[in-house]
Amino acid sequence: MKLAFSTLGVPGLPLSEVTALATAHGYHGVELRAHPEEPVHTGLTAEQRADVAAAFKAAGLDILGVAGYARVAAPGDDEPVFTEVRALVDLARDIGAPYVRVFPGGGDEQSAEEADATAARRLGAAAEYAADRGVRILMETHDSHRTGADAMRVLGLVGHRQVGALWDVMHTWLGGEQPVDSFSALSPHLGYVQVKDIASAEDTTPVALGAGVLPLTDVVEVLSRNGWDGWVCWEYEARWYDAAEPLPGLLGAGREHLARLLNESA
């Protein structure tokens, strides 16, 4: 497995410092949060996009994915969602990222069936656009579709190789799903895995890997047992928690913790 971290943990940090952190602590790549307050977003010019790709190539690092905020199950018209997803796909292509992250984002005013159908319709329509650009769209286990079983209701309807799943292990756990069941549901469509750790089910403040309550040992065990050799990305949600310990000081120990879990599972 290859290890990455998300820039959600270092909000606003210049890319030169992001790549320096990744190389100094032995990570293979970085997931880039795509937002106007970040160095990477859909408003970048062609020249700026080329500079992003060149910076990571020079550092010997992969850009794992573009973490966008499109909500594919959200109520409303399709076209604004299509526009947002296409912009994210174009950004990913231009900077050399294989994946785009989207959220489900279903609303309370919808039934589960309506949200599933909306997400499947939009993802299916976006799939060929993504395929033409060599990018895969991954719907994260999150909000209205937080478990693997929830996500599979949508992905089973889409049935396109350019649309898959991003397994956020916090959300499947909070949804009451065991890692073995999450993997079983998601594995046919799995793009990569986001790991993290939190203080408790009631307090989702991010903590160092291994210092919280999430079943990371079980997650790595099920991945290893099934021979999964893709990316594991540490998403440390510092952007949303002002009191969280700064991520840079945790990166080395976090990589060591994941490496230890991988060795033990092997």
Side-chain angles (χ1 to χ4, degrees):
M1 299 182 207
K2 294 176 286 188
L3 303 180
F5 66 87
S6 168
T7 55
L8 186 63
V10 284
L13 195 68
L15 290 184
S16 60
E17 296 181 43
V18 170
T19 57
L21 283 173
T23 54
H25 295 292
Y27 288 82
H28 306 101
V30 177
E31 178 194 73
L32 296 175
R33 177 179 180 242
H35 191 278
E37 66 187 21
E38 298 290 348
V40 176
H41 53 81
T42 56
L44 294 185
T45 66
E47 182 179 2
Q48 289 170 325
R49 295 172 187 221
D51 288 343
V52 172
F56 278 85
K57 183 177 181 180
L61 297 167
D62 290 326
I63 301 175
L64 169 57
V66 170
Y69 290 90
R71 286 169 158 74
V72 294
D77 294 338
D78 287 349
E79 192 53 42
V81 180
F82 289 149
T83 298
E84 186 174 1
V85 172
R86 287 193 293 262
L88 291 166
V89 168
D90 288 343
L91 175 62
R93 174 201 58 192
D94 292 345
I95 65 175
Y99 300 116
V100 161
R101 187 278 306 277
V102 298
F103 285 149
D108 293 338
E109 64 270 39
Q110 300 164 292
S111 69
E113 292 77 13
E114 288 171 328
D116 293 348
T118 298
R121 181 179 69 249
R122 290 169 176 166
L123 288 169
E128 287 302 321
Y129 188 88
D132 289 344
R133 286 149 183 81
V135 175
R136 194 171 185 214
I137 302 169
L138 304 180
M139 188 179 78
E140 184 173 323
T141 54
H142 196 274
D143 54 75
S144 61
H145 293 68
R146 73 180 348 178
T147 67
D150 293 334
M152 270 305 301
R153 296 198 313 267
V154 172
L155 299 176
L157 291 172
V158 177
H160 195 291
R161 60 184 175 79
Q162 292 304 119
V163 174
L166 199 172
W167 179 14
D168 182 319
V169 304
M170 180 184 76
H171 285 283
T172 54
W173 180 79
L174 289 173
E177 197 171 63
Q178 295 299 311
V180 63
D181 297 320
S182 300
F183 181 81
S184 178
L186 297 171
S187 59
H189 305 277
L190 189 57
Y192 64 96
V193 182
Q194 280 182 348
V195 296
K196 59 189 72 174
D197 221 340
I198 55 174
S200 70
E202 296 74 32
D203 178 5
T204 55
T205 300
V207 297
L209 294 180
V213 297
L214 292 184
L216 299 181
T217 300
D218 294 341
V219 168
V220 173
E221 175 71 25
V222 73
L223 292 173
S224 296
R225 188 166 64 246
N226 286 278
W228 194 80
D229 61 355
W231 284 91
V232 173
C233 177
W234 184 8
E235 187 188 50
Y236 186 83
E237 298 184 338
R239 176 63 183 84
W240 316 126
Y241 296 88
D242 292 339
E245 186 176 349
L247 177 63
L250 304 175
L251 282 171
R255 185 196 57 76
E256 290 171 5
H257 183 73
L258 290 173
R260 184 163 56 251
L261 293 181
L262 288 167
N263 288 335
E264 291 172 354
S265 66

